[in-house]
Amino acid sequence: MKLTLRVWRQRNADADGAMSTYEVDGISSDMSFLEMLDTLNEELILRGEDPVAFDHDCREGICGACSLVINGDAHGPERTTTCQLHMRSFRDGDTIDIEPWRAAAFPVVKDLVVDRSAFDRIIQAGGYVSAPTGSAPEAHATPVPKPDADYAFEHAECIGCGACVAACPNGSAMLFTSAKVNHLNVLPQGAPERETRVLDMVGQMDAEGFGGCTLTGECATACPKGIPLPSIAAMNKEWLRANRKVSRG
Amino acid sequence: MDRRPSKTPGFWESTVGKKTVMAVSGLVMLLYLVVHMLGNLKIFFGTDEFNGYAHWLRTVGEPFMHYEWTLWLVRIVLVLAVVAHAVSAYQLSRRDINARPTKYVHKRKRASYATRTMRWGGIILGLFIVWHLLDLTTLTVNEHAVHGEAYQNVVATFSTWYGNVIYIVAMVALGFHVRHGFWSAAQTLGVGSAARDRALKTAANGLALLLTVGFVSVPVAVMTGVVS
C-alpha cells in the first residue's frame, strides 16, 4: 500500500504546530497502525529528519498508552485502540490525517504526544479503596452479588486512554470519571468512600479544565473498551446522592 | 452523616451541579409548555370559550388567591426557570468551548442534529419568548391589541406573514430542543439507564412532536381559515 499521511508536527509544548505531509510506500495491510508509523519514522531517521513522536507501550490494546485521532476519529475507524487498528482498514492511495488528542486539559508535549496526567490526578482524588495492608483477606469474606461484580468489571475495563475526551466536542472527561467512580462505588470494598469519591473525583475533573457533558454520546462511540453512555447517568445519580449525604463543614 | 473539611466545590460550582440546575429548570418549563399547548387548543372551540379561558387564567385559585395572583406566581417561577436555565447554559458553554482551544483539522459531523443545535436553538427560543410576550402578553407589537380579546389578538398575529414565520420556526426549534433536552435531563438527574434508554428516548420524541404539532396547529388553523 502507498499512503499519504498528514501528521501534526509540533516541536514542543510552547511551539506552534502544523500538519506536515509524508508519503509512505510498501505498507502491508497486516501491519498495525503503529507499525505503519514505525516505517515512516525509520525513513525519517534515515533521511536525518526528526521522527514523529507518538505514545505507545504494550501494543496489545490493554495499557491505554496509544492515542491518535485518525481522520477525525479517536483511535481511528475501528472500535479498538490505535495499536490494534490494522492497515486493512485503509485502502491503497488513501490520505490519512493524524492528530493528537485535543483538550485544554491534555496539553501537547510533542507532535502526537499529549500530557494525560490530569487523569492521574482525578484517580488520586478518589479512584482508590482504603484497604488494610498485610496478608490478603479471605476471598469469600466479602461476598459480591454477581450483577454487581459484572457491573464493576464492565467499568474496570477502562484503560484511561482519553479517547472519550478526544472525541467529546466539549473535551469532557465524564465517561472516564464515571467508569472509575462506578467501578468502585458498586463494590463493598468501595463503600467507605462512596460519597467522597464521587464528589472529589468530579471536583478534580472540573479543576483540570475538562468541559461539561452535553450527552452527545461521542465518548461512548469512541471508547475502545465499550464503556457505555449510561455510566454518566449512573455517576450523576451517585453525585446527587453524595450531595444529600455529605454535609460540608 | 459524613462530615469533612472539604476542598470539593459546592453544588453550583460543579459542572454536574450546573447541569442539574439546567435539567430541573428545563423540566419546569416543559411542564408549563404542555399545559400552555393544551390551553391553546381551546381556540378551536370558538371566541367565547377561548377568551373565557384566558379570563379564567387570571381568576385561578380564587377566593384563596387574589385576582391574577396565581398567574403572577406562575410568571415568577417561569422567569426564575428561564434565568437559571440560561445562566447555567451560558457558563457551561463557555467552559465547554474553552476545554477544546485547538480544533481538529480533520472535521467530521458529530452527534445528531438536535444535539448539535441545542445552543443556537436555545438562543432562538430566548429571542422568541421576548417577541411572544411583546406580541400576546403586553400586546406592544400586536395588530389587534385589545386586552381581554385573546382570540382576536391571536388571529391578528397569525394573519401576518412574519407572525407565522417567527412562530413556526420557534416551535420547530422547540421540538428539537425538547428532543435532546428531555432525554438529557433524565441522564443528568440520574434516571437514565440502559434498560430505560428506549423508553426515555421515545418519551422525548413523543413530547417534542406533541408540543410542536400542538403549537403549530394554531397558526395553521388561522392560515387555512379554520380559525378566523
Side-chain angles (χ1 to χ4, degrees):
Chain A
M1 292 168 82
K2 191 173 192 289
L3 299 165
T4 305
L5 306 177
R6 298 203 305 156
V7 185
W8 183 263
R9 300 303 307 263
Q10 184 173 338
R11 199 172 296 275
N12 57 52
D14 303 318
D16 286 332
M19 298 295 269
S20 294
T21 307
Y22 302 97
E23 304 280 338
V24 281
D25 204 351
I27 300 298
S28 155
S29 60
D30 294 330
M31 279 182 178
S32 76
F33 199 84
L34 297 186
E35 285 169 331
M36 184 275 293
L37 286 179
D38 292 338
T39 308
L40 169 69
N41 277 345
E42 281 168 10
E43 280 178 32
L44 290 178
I45 292 164
L46 283 175
R47 294 208 303 248
E49 291 179 38
D50 196 21
V52 177
F54 60 89
D55 269 324
H56 60 103
D57 191 10
C58 75
R59 299 207 180 196
E60 290 181 349
I62 52 170
C63 76
C66 62
S67 51
L68 307 187
V69 170
I70 301 160
N71 285 341
D73 289 318
H75 291 303
E78 308 286 337
R79 194 188 184 120
T80 185
T81 53
T82 298
C83 62
Q84 293 294 301
L85 174 68
H86 290 87
M87 295 315 294
R88 51 182 164 270
S89 300
F90 300 90
R91 275 183 307 214
D92 187 39
D94 274 0
T95 299
I96 306 173
D97 290 339
I98 310 170
E99 298 173 76
W101 283 175
R102 290 291 186 200
F106 287 165
V108 172
V109 177
K110 185 183 182 185
D111 296 339
L112 302 170
V113 177
V114 298
D115 180 358
R116 283 172 279 187
S117 340
F119 270 11
D120 297 338
R121 290 187 290 272
I122 294 175
I123 295 293
Q124 283 163 12
Y128 52 80
V129 294
S130 298
T133 54
S135 58
E138 153 62 29
H140 297 294
T142 313
V144 179
K146 182 70 165 67
D148 291 356
D150 288 346
Y151 185 83
F153 192 79
E154 187 181 19
H155 290 93
E157 280 193 70
C158 169
I159 53 176
C161 65
C164 44
V165 175
C168 175
N170 310 322
S172 173
M174 285 286 276
L175 194 71
F176 166 77
T177 310
S178 69
K180 299 304 177 188
V181 165
N182 294 336
H183 162 209
L184 297 177
N185 271 22
V186 73
L187 294 172
Q189 289 87 345
E193 297 99 351
R194 185 174 169 185
E195 291 82 21
T196 53
R197 176 177 300 115
V198 64
L199 292 177
D200 289 344
M201 290 179 79
V202 169
Q204 188 63 38
M205 177 189 83
D206 286 344
E208 295 292 345
F210 291 106
C213 177
T214 51
L215 292 148
T216 65
E218 294 289 344
C219 53
T221 307
C223 178
K225 295 297 158 181
I227 304 297
L229 188 60
S231 298
I232 292 175
M235 179 173 76
N236 289 334
K237 191 177 180 181
E238 283 293 309
W239 189 87
L240 291 169
R241 178 187 172 277
N243 261 282
R244 291 193 299 271
K245 292 259 178 190
V246 175
S247 70
R248 297 166 195 281
Chain B
M1 287 292 264
D2 180 2
R3 210 178 157 80
R4 67 207 177 103
S6 179
K7 283 190 296 179
T8 306
F11 194 92
W12 175 249
E13 277 69 45
S14 168
T15 51
V16 182
K18 285 189 208 292
K19 280 287 288 189
T20 306
V21 170
M22 200 195 285
V24 171
S25 56
L27 290 176
V28 167
M29 290 188 280
L30 184 61
L31 180 70
Y32 168 79
L33 283 177
V34 172
V35 177
H36 185 2
M37 187 275 289
L38 292 174
N40 283 7
L41 298 182
K42 285 196 160 280
I43 203 158
F44 291 102
F45 299 106
T47 316
D48 293 343
E49 181 151 349
F50 192 72
N51 287 351
Y53 168 71
H55 179 72
W56 172 80
L57 288 176
R58 284 147 219 285
T59 62
V60 178
E62 284 184 6
F64 181 74
M65 300 296 267
H66 186 67
Y67 179 74
E68 283 196 349
W69 274 18
T70 311
L71 187 67
W72 275 102
L73 203 65
V74 171
R75 284 172 175 170
I76 289 165
V77 170
L78 284 174
V79 167
L80 290 176
V82 169
V83 170
H85 203 71
V87 170
S88 50
Y90 173 75
Q91 293 188 358
L92 284 168
S93 297
R94 274 199 52 163
R95 195 191 160 85
D96 294 347
I97 291 161
N98 290 336
R100 168 77 38 81
T102 313
K103 306 280 173 254
Y104 288 110
V105 174
H106 190 108
K107 304 262 185 277
R108 68 173 185 84
K109 211 174 261 182
R110 289 176 185 275
S112 71
Y113 185 77
T115 310
R116 282 184 282 123
T117 53
M118 285 305 274
R119 285 175 192 146
W120 279 110
I123 291 168
I124 289 172
L125 289 172
L127 293 173
F128 170 75
I129 291 170
V130 174
W131 159 262
H132 194 54
L133 292 178
L134 290 174
D135 182 26
L136 289 167
T137 303
T138 65
L139 305 176
T140 317
V141 295
N142 194 280
E143 298 275 337
H144 185 73
V146 179
H147 281 283
E149 294 189 3
Y151 186 96
Q152 290 84 343
N153 294 334
V154 168
V155 171
T157 292
F158 296 133
S159 301
T160 61
W161 66 268
Y162 55 87
N164 286 317
V165 169
I166 293 171
Y167 194 85
I168 292 170
V169 166
M171 290 309 106
V172 170
L174 172 71
F176 281 118
H177 205 75
V178 168
R179 179 189 157 109
H180 184 67
F182 179 78
W183 176 80
S184 290
Q187 310 305 312
T188 301
L189 298 175
V191 182
S193 70
R196 284 199 208 106
D197 203 53
R198 187 183 287 263
L200 284 169
K201 282 206 166 109
T202 308
N205 289 341
L207 268 171
L209 201 65
L210 188 79
L211 284 174
T212 302
V213 170
F215 279 123
V216 168
S217 70
V218 178
V220 168
V222 174
M223 278 190 275
T224 53
V226 177
V227 169
S228 60

